[in-house]
Amino acid sequence: MRLILLGAPGAGKGTQADFIKDKLEIPVVSTGNLLRSAMAHGTELGKKVTAYMESGSLVPDELVIDLVKERITQDDCAKGLIFDGFPRTVAQAEALDQVMKVDAVIFLHVEDDVIVKRMSGRRTCPECQTTYHIVSHPPKQEGICDKCGSVLGIRSDDNPEVVRQRLAVYHKQTEPIVKYYEAQGLLKVVECEPTIEGTSALVEKALEV
Ligand code: AMP
């Protein structure tokens, strides 16, 4: 199955992508994680995208599209995949249409004020990129990643000023995709619940119909 998880930054795309990954045994393709990894390794791409990412702007379409085209040809994507954070513009959605037919688009809907509150408590593993929340999804041991034991940190673009910028970018550049996929009959809207498990149950239901 080929899925897209759509939603504002902080809507819970990464968390729900992990839930679906475990259920369907297909990989998550997160452009945010791929770009952060390029930055951490100091690659040419990483150097090109740092300023965009740190300011909360979108990385230029052509860079992201090339990155995705390369990633989806890898063997693990043959059975299906879950896109998290891609596409983020109509141009990216159109480019994806040229190379792959997706089966469904799950739109995680959350109000902006809930997102700003959530992002202030988000903690991220710099190694394996697993995300936690200090209240709703804490790690077993405070400040330590359950999966790889690394010390958790706060993403530099999770500070309130950059979060507001990322939300503005989302409404302007990414939200038009909702209509794009609605018109293709692919959109499944999930109204997010206060708990991760509550939202996962709705995601599961959306995948069955
Ligand atoms: P994320 O981890 O998905 O919240 O993405 C973090 C940052 O990476 C975004 O604020 C953008 O700067 C960049 N980014 C991730 N995915 C994309 C994309 N599909 N198009 C453009 N920029 C992206």
Side-chain angles (χ1 to χ4, degrees):
M1 189 181 279
R2 290 157 168 178
L3 297 171
I4 292 172
L5 272 176
L6 197 57
K13 296 187 298 294
T15 305
Q16 296 305 329
D18 279 345
F19 167 74
I20 302 171
K21 170 187 164 201
D22 293 342
K23 229 184 130 45
L24 301 182
E25 297 183 349
I26 50 177
V28 177
V29 174
S30 157
T31 42
N33 285 353
L34 292 170
L35 292 166
R36 274 186 292 279
S37 165
M39 272 168 40
H41 289 94
T43 66
E44 276 309 306
L45 174 68
K47 286 181 201 146
K48 280 188 197 157
V49 302
T50 303
Y52 296 104
M53 295 189 65
E54 288 187 343
S55 66
S57 317
L58 292 187
V59 166
D61 286 334
E62 57 278 14
L63 296 180
V64 179
I65 290 166
D66 284 350
L67 182 70
V68 167
K69 278 188 182 162
E70 206 229 298
R71 176 67 187 87
I72 62 179
T73 57
Q74 289 170 16
D75 290 349
D76 63 330
C77 294
K79 278 198 308 174
L81 77 177
I82 309 151
F83 285 113
D84 162 9
F86 178 87
R88 252 175 159 108
T89 62
V90 172
Q92 291 178 18
E94 286 170 349
L96 181 63
D97 276 348
Q98 305 289 317
V99 291
M100 178 181 278
K101 187 189 166 309
V102 296
D103 300 298
V105 179
I106 299 196
F107 174 42
L108 299 176
H109 182 251
V110 189
E111 296 298 337
D112 282 9
D113 52 347
V114 176
I115 286 178
V116 175
K117 261 190 225 148
R118 271 192 196 175
M119 302 282 259
S120 66
R122 180 151 85 168
R123 298 292 179 270
T124 306
C125 175
E127 286 303 318
C128 72
Q129 317 257 0
T130 303
T131 56
Y132 300 86
H133 189 277
I134 50 176
V135 179
S136 61
H137 180 41
K140 291 192 186 89
Q141 189 187 342
E142 197 184 321
I144 303 294
C145 179
D146 292 349
K147 292 198 179 151
C148 72
S150 304
V151 176
L152 300 178
I154 300 176
R155 262 171 56 175
S156 59
D157 60 352
D158 273 353
N159 77 64
E161 209 175 293
V162 182
V163 167
R164 273 190 288 276
Q165 162 68 3
R166 288 164 67 200
L167 279 171
V169 165
Y170 165 76
H171 289 301
K172 190 158 178 253
Q173 294 180 266
T174 306
E175 224 164 38
I177 304 183
V178 174
K179 289 222 158 45
Y180 179 88
Y181 286 121
E182 197 174 26
Q184 294 190 11
L186 293 172
L187 197 74
K188 295 171 189 296
V189 182
V190 167
E191 291 295 338
C192 291
E193 294 276 317
T195 65
I196 291 173
E197 295 74 19
T199 302
S200 295
L202 296 179
V203 166
E204 197 169 1
K205 213 163 143 207
L207 287 173
E208 279 163 9
V209 288

